[in-house]
Amino acid sequence: MTGYLPVGFEFAAEITYPISEGTSSGLLNASAQAFGIVLTIVMRQLMTKVSVLAANIATCVLLAVGTLLTIMVKEDLKRQRANELQRDPPTPDDESNVSS
């Protein structure tokens, strides 16, 4: 999972542009910490009251749900598009070709 974090932070910065990268990474870190705390408490209760197998199955289900949610995220690379527009601003000829 640790190898996925830089990719996730970069993607979050892309889809939340023009919000600063620090804000999106800070919110991701805070939500990951909160989720980790809740998940630790819930899994501990599940292990003591039900079984370790139940906690493992619940973890696998949560990972599968997270994978599906990740797949469903719409890829909208706003920051990359803004950088390309700064490098090559559209000319009046480009705009007339788009409208026809």
Side-chain angles (χ1 to χ4, degrees):
M1 293 299 291
T2 305
Y4 183 70
L5 285 176
V7 174
F9 286 142
E10 186 67 26
F11 188 63
E14 285 287 339
I15 63 176
T16 59
Y17 183 82
I19 297 172
S20 75
E21 295 175 38
T23 302
S24 62
S25 357
L27 288 172
L28 279 175
N29 273 323
S31 64
Q33 292 298 319
F35 185 73
I37 291 168
V38 170
L39 194 63
T40 302
I41 293 168
V42 169
M43 289 303 146
R44 170 67 65 148
Q45 292 298 314
L46 198 57
M47 286 170 45
T48 45
K49 293 185 178 173
V50 181
S51 70
V52 174
L53 179 62
N56 284 333
I57 291 171
T59 302
C60 289
V61 168
L62 287 172
L63 285 170
V65 169
T67 300
L68 290 174
L69 290 173
T70 301
I71 291 169
M72 292 171 30
V73 171
K74 181 182 174 191
E75 185 176 316
D76 185 15
L77 305 178
K78 296 175 185 176
R79 186 177 62 172
Q80 185 176 356
R81 189 173 39 232
N83 287 339
E84 288 172 1
L85 284 175
Q86 281 182 342
R87 251 184 290 141
D88 299 324
T91 63
D93 293 336
D94 292 339
E95 291 173 6
S96 64
N97 289 339
V98 171
S99 62
S100 48

